[in-house]
Amino acid sequence: MSTFDHRRYRPGPVVDMPSRQWPNRTVQNAPIWVSVDLRDGNQALMEPMGVTQKRRLWSLLVGMGFKEIEVGFPAASQPDFDFVRWLIEERQIPDDVTIQVLVQAREDLIRKTFESLQGVSRAIVHVYNSTSPVQRERVFGLDRDGIKAIARQGAEWVLAESRRHPETHWIFQYSPESFTATELDYAVEVCEAVMDVWEPTPERPCIINLPATVEVASPNVFADQVEYFATRIGRREAVVLSVHTHNDRGGAVAAAEMALLAGADRVEGTLLGNGERTGNTDLVTMAMNLYSQGVDPRLDLSDPDEIVRICTECTRLPVHPRHPWVGELVYTAFSGSHQDAIRKCLARQEREEPWDVAYLPIDPHDIGRSYEAVIRVNSQSGKGGVAFVLERDHGLVLPRWMQVEMARLVQKETEARGGELDSAEIVALFRRQFMTDRAPYRLLGYRLDRNGHDRIEVRIGSPAGERILHGEGQGAIAAYVDAWSRWSGCSLKVVDYQEHAMGAGTDAEAAAYAQVDLDGIRVAGAAIDRDTVAASLRAVLAAVNRHQAEWMEAA
């Protein structure tokens, strides 16, 4: 039998709740956010943070607007104990921020936890014990009543210690650890026993936290579990219902979002999802999810690059370039069809109207990202992406027929390199390929007579020396084509021609694009000049030079 054998595993729990309400709801408001970066996130690191890193991360969390922050497990770690003391003794806790500490339901640990909190004006003491069958039977060797007694005793110790420090506003929190694998009726029973001790009121509620210590089922099942609990727990008006999801199945954010629909008021998690095993709820992702739906996240996420920088420096963990919302490449499109759609949508997007741009669920400017990185060009890119870069960075608005040819040239170049081209390399390729108006022929000057029928005299530099050409026609380009055809004996026709200003003011340059038919072969050229007529003549001449160069190369 193969060691990779699905028959060794059982499906996760299913909640029989046909009257569930959460699927019909939408999230209208942000939850109470709780960062556990300094506790859960820290204990998950191969190299836990030192004092300097903890202080930097604390400052970031406060600056982002977190009002509840779990700062450690002071009874189990001397660095955590010392950090809590530093926060209190150095008056680092703003008046509107509440710190939270975690402790097991053990008397000695609870006593030391309260010792670490001496002098704090307000704090959350978070006590927990495991309640699932596997923990009861294989870890503690206790039955339901035995585990419930541990929870109740822990609540009594917390209450007793708090009464020794009446100067502090205490908030009690209880977690039935491994809630997702615990029988739901029993989870309610244990939490009721804890609440019987604390006797919370609407004016002084307690926090009941439901942790997906291990994610054992899909997010919809967790939502069912939360709704079951929320609708059956007594004194619901005296309970702040919290969730703490882990990401073992990759659904931590989805589970937390669905938990809000199911009745949760509060979400614990970490910035960028750091945490034990596969991590916790990613609070940045979840908050940005709300933001993208028009819900105020009540966190300042306007500078994600700073968030990423500080988190990576403090935790020594990299952030994937495709990380939701804040990854380096999140707002970058390489695919040609994506680039074309983005370019067209951005051109039509008005600042005052609701954001509606293909492939960009939010405006990157909102979180400090520029459009410079929205479209990057590699071998997968098409004409839209190339055109976007040339227009955005260099003011060149290519006609579609030139976009198609330029895209082929870029693809050939990127395939040969095996990488991408940046903006400077793209415009250099464009100039090298299309703006070939210097050799073998170059425009030295012209004189145009517009008295009724246009007549032109053109001075051309050629390998054989300077030549004077004369022609006439309806417009400068027609007269120029006539002059060239008479002199060269070739059949030259302009198939398409476009031009545009590259700025404002009388001294702005003009860009001209010409597609010509030269002896039955179509070829394109471009030119830039402050003189619009000169630009048009040079664009046609660039096309002729390209034809000449291709003919000589073929020969």
Side-chain angles (χ1 to χ4, degrees):
M1 181 181 294
S2 170
T3 57
F4 188 75
D5 184 4
H6 67 280
R7 291 171 295 180
R8 299 179 62 211
Y9 304 100
R10 293 168 292 181
V14 175
V15 183
D16 183 16
M17 195 166 60
S19 61
R20 60 179 60 85
Q21 298 300 307
W22 66 262
N24 300 317
R25 298 172 182 156
T26 58
V27 178
Q28 303 292 329
N29 299 288
I32 300 167
W33 300 110
V34 187
S35 163
V36 296
D37 292 85
L38 292 165
R39 196 279 300 173
D40 201 336
N42 187 47
Q43 76 181 39
L45 300 175
M46 290 182 289
E47 296 180 43
M49 287 180 273
V51 174
T52 300
Q53 290 92 346
K54 282 191 174 186
R55 291 179 182 181
R56 288 190 68 203
L57 194 51
W58 165 263
S59 180
L60 173 66
L61 295 168
V62 171
M64 290 177 63
F66 283 95
K67 303 306 179 186
E68 296 184 9
I69 302 172
E70 189 168 83
V71 294
F73 202 142
S77 164
Q78 190 61 42
D80 280 11
F81 187 100
D82 294 341
F83 181 64
V84 174
R85 294 311 307 156
W86 174 80
L87 289 171
I88 297 169
E89 293 170 3
E90 298 299 323
R91 300 184 182 278
Q92 295 295 314
I93 307 170
D95 291 341
D96 62 345
V97 173
T98 304
I99 63 169
Q100 174 174 308
V101 292
L102 183 70
V103 62
Q104 288 174 306
R106 287 173 45 189
E107 185 176 18
D108 58 329
L109 299 182
I110 290 170
R111 186 178 300 114
K112 188 169 183 179
T113 297
F114 276 88
E115 179 185 339
S116 75
L117 293 168
Q118 285 186 22
V120 72
S121 61
R122 183 175 61 252
I124 300 168
V125 178
H126 179 187
V127 64
Y128 73 95
N129 69 300
S130 295
T131 57
S132 66
V134 68
Q135 293 273 8
R136 295 196 308 260
E137 296 164 10
R138 296 195 173 191
V139 178
F140 296 100
L142 294 172
D143 60 12
R144 281 189 172 200
D145 288 341
I147 292 296
K148 184 170 66 173
I150 291 176
R152 184 181 180 91
Q153 180 66 77
E156 290 173 349
W157 285 326
V158 166
L159 181 62
E161 285 296 322
S162 73
R163 287 173 173 166
R164 297 176 57 195
H165 304 278
E167 71 282 1
T168 296
H169 177 83
W170 298 108
I171 302 167
F172 303 145
Q173 175 173 333
Y174 173 72
S175 288
E177 190 193 3
S178 58
F179 164 77
T180 48
T182 299
E183 306 93 322
L184 288 176
D185 62 332
Y186 180 62
V188 171
E189 182 181 332
V190 171
C191 292
E192 291 278 14
V194 169
M195 292 169 63
D196 286 343
V197 174
W198 288 341
E199 298 182 331
T201 65
E203 295 73 32
R204 202 173 178 106
C206 70
I207 301 168
I208 297 296
N209 184 58
L210 305 179
T213 309
V214 177
E215 189 176 26
V216 298
S218 52
N220 63 297
V221 172
F222 184 65
D224 282 347
Q225 292 173 322
V226 172
E227 183 171 323
Y228 178 100
F229 188 95
T231 54
R232 287 163 176 78
I233 190 73
R235 291 168 283 196
R236 178 65 181 90
E237 72 285 353
V239 172
V240 175
L241 191 58
S242 177
V243 294
H244 179 120
T245 59
H246 278 254
N247 203 42
D248 302 86
R249 293 168 50 97
V253 169
E257 288 186 339
M258 290 185 182
L260 295 184
L261 301 176
D265 310 301
R266 182 178 185 267
V267 173
E268 296 187 347
T270 57
L271 301 179
L272 309 174
N274 177 37
E276 289 280 20
R277 303 183 311 280
T278 56
N280 298 108
T281 298
D282 179 345
L283 297 183
V284 173
T285 295
M286 186 170 173
M288 284 302 304
N289 288 354
L290 297 182
Y291 179 81
S292 70
Q293 301 300 302
V295 176
D296 181 359
R298 298 193 299 172
L299 291 175
D300 183 358
L301 302 167
S302 61
D303 192 355
D305 291 339
E306 178 75 356
I307 295 171
V308 170
R309 184 180 66 81
I310 292 177
C311 285
T312 53
E313 289 177 359
C314 290
T315 65
R316 301 180 182 87
L317 293 176
V319 174
H320 195 283
R322 298 293 183 188
H323 194 98
W325 299 113
V326 300
E328 179 187 356
L329 297 178
V330 168
Y331 304 101
T332 300
F334 290 102
S335 163
S337 61
H338 289 204
Q339 293 174 339
D340 188 55
I342 291 170
R343 180 177 65 89
K344 290 174 179 175
C345 290
L346 286 175
R348 298 183 62 179
Q349 179 68 37
E350 297 293 338
R351 178 64 187 175
E352 297 76 17
E353 66 180 352
W355 182 257
D356 192 18
V357 173
Y359 301 111
L360 294 178
I362 66 164
D363 185 346
H365 279 168
D366 290 357
I367 55 173
R369 300 292 176 88
S370 71
Y371 292 140
E372 307 306 313
V374 167
I375 290 179
R376 287 163 59 177
V377 176
N378 64 11
S379 62
Q380 302 300 306
S381 305
K383 66 181 187 303
V386 174
F388 180 89
V389 170
L390 288 173
E391 181 176 350
R392 178 194 66 194
D393 297 344
H394 307 287
L396 295 166
V397 185
L398 272 58
R400 188 179 185 282
W401 40 267
M402 189 171 279
Q403 292 178 22
V404 172
E405 186 175 358
M406 182 63 187
R408 286 199 295 263
L409 293 169
V410 167
Q411 184 175 32
K412 182 179 179 180
E413 183 77 10
T414 53
E415 287 177 347
R417 289 189 185 197
E420 64 176 295
L421 294 184
D422 63 25
S423 175
E425 291 170 324
I426 292 171
V427 75
L429 178 62
F430 173 79
R431 289 177 177 273
R432 189 166 65 248
Q433 291 290 335
F434 292 98
M435 298 175 67
T436 55
D437 62 341
R438 307 300 294 173
Y441 305 106
R442 67 185 184 278
L443 180 68
L444 301 178
Y446 74 93
R447 186 175 65 191
L448 182 63
D449 181 3
R450 291 187 179 276
N451 291 328
H453 195 67
D454 295 324
R455 293 181 174 84
I456 196 167
E457 179 182 282
V458 185
R459 292 170 48 235
I460 295 291
S462 74
E466 183 177 322
R467 293 288 186 267
I468 306 296
L469 284 57
H470 294 87
E472 56 185 62
Q474 296 295 323
I477 294 178
Y480 177 60
V481 167
D482 179 59
W484 182 270
S485 298
R486 290 185 188 187
W487 173 68
S488 67
C490 298
S491 173
L492 176 65
K493 299 177 184 177
V494 175
V495 177
D496 202 341
Y497 172 81
Q498 293 184 31
E499 66 177 45
H500 64 82
M502 296 183 67
T506 57
D507 62 344
E509 290 185 311
Y513 314 96
Q515 185 182 47
V516 306
D517 184 303
L518 194 58
D519 289 337
I521 298 175
R522 290 194 178 189
V523 62
I528 297 172
D529 202 297
R530 282 193 169 84
D531 181 340
T532 57
V533 174
S536 65
L537 303 184
R538 289 175 58 198
V540 173
L541 190 58
V544 171
N545 282 337
R546 286 190 72 209
H547 176 271
Q548 184 78 2
E550 291 171 3
W551 178 81
M552 292 179 64
E553 185 178 338

